[in-house]
Amino acid sequence: MIEDSDAPLQTMWQGKYISAVKRGRWEYVSRTGSTNAVVILAEYDGKVILIDQYRVPVGGRCLELPAGLVGDEGQHESLEATAIRELEEETGFTCDLVERLGEFHSSPGMVAESFTLVRAHGVRKVGEGGGVGGEDINVHLVAREDIADFIEHQRAAGTAVDVKLLMFLRF
């Protein structure tokens, strides 16, 4: 596979938001702009803040942590500023401090996008949330000990579940 890493990058198809690219024998998807997202672990009053929203690729609503693309609102916006902005837009909560927990890849064999998981500190309610531009985001406050059951209830109701929520499941 090393020879693939030295091969030239070829854009097979490019849309407004994503590209299908090829390097050597590997074909994968990349965003046309930023390929880094931020995912926010935030708790308020002893409960984790989760959201659900309609996601076209899964054909329905998906249960997730709040998140957003770094740089989609301004090329020079920091990861921390993006996290605070997205937390407020999606959930109606803000925070005083963002702590970086690490960078991760959700599907590294197919998608170039990575995400930085952050923890929000000093979380407080400042608005309604729900997203911008017709995002139709529902906010859920769930105690950590209830998250596994909450996820199973959502799944049984037909809601897709983002892989990042695996960290709350008991195996």
Side-chain angles (χ1 to χ4, degrees):
M1 289 300 179
I2 297 300
E3 65 272 9
D4 289 331
S5 66
D6 295 331
L9 184 65
Q10 301 172 14
T11 300
M12 309 305 287
W13 173 86
Q14 183 171 330
K16 183 176 180 181
Y17 300 108
I18 62 169
S19 299
V21 294
K22 182 177 182 178
R23 186 178 299 267
R25 295 170 289 164
W26 283 91
E27 295 176 343
Y28 59 95
V29 178
S30 180
R31 291 193 182 269
T32 56
S34 173
T35 58
N36 189 14
V38 61
V39 176
I40 306 128
L41 177 57
E43 295 184 53
Y44 177 75
D45 198 24
K47 296 178 179 172
V48 176
I49 301 172
L50 301 175
I51 63 166
D52 76 74
Q53 62 183 311
Y54 185 83
R55 294 292 195 180
V56 171
V58 300
R61 298 195 75 82
C62 187
L63 185 64
E64 312 169 0
L65 289 168
L69 287 175
V70 178
D72 72 336
E73 292 290 323
Q75 287 181 304
H76 303 293
E77 185 178 48
S78 71
L79 185 136
E80 290 80 6
T82 300
I84 293 169
R85 178 180 50 77
E86 289 288 348
L87 182 64
E88 188 170 330
E89 286 176 4
E90 293 187 357
T91 70
F93 290 88
T94 193
C95 66
D96 296 326
L97 177 69
V98 173
E99 171 192 7
R100 292 183 187 213
L101 300 177
E103 187 171 332
F104 302 89
H105 298 265
S106 61
S107 188
M110 189 179 133
V111 181
E113 180 180 68
S114 66
F115 68 91
T116 302
L117 181 63
V118 301
R119 177 178 288 129
H121 295 278
V123 177
R124 63 191 178 284
K125 184 84 168 154
V126 294
E128 292 303 310
V132 294
E135 286 180 311
D136 188 27
I137 295 173
N138 296 316
V139 180
H140 306 277
L141 299 175
V142 185
R144 276 185 179 261
E145 63 271 12
D146 297 334
I147 291 178
D149 291 334
F150 182 76
I151 289 171
E152 288 310 311
H153 175 74
Q154 291 292 312
R155 183 177 285 139
T159 303
V161 178
D162 189 306
V163 68
K164 294 170 214 68
L165 296 184
L166 283 172
M167 70 176 134
F168 296 109
L169 296 183
R170 37 184 192 251
F171 291 101

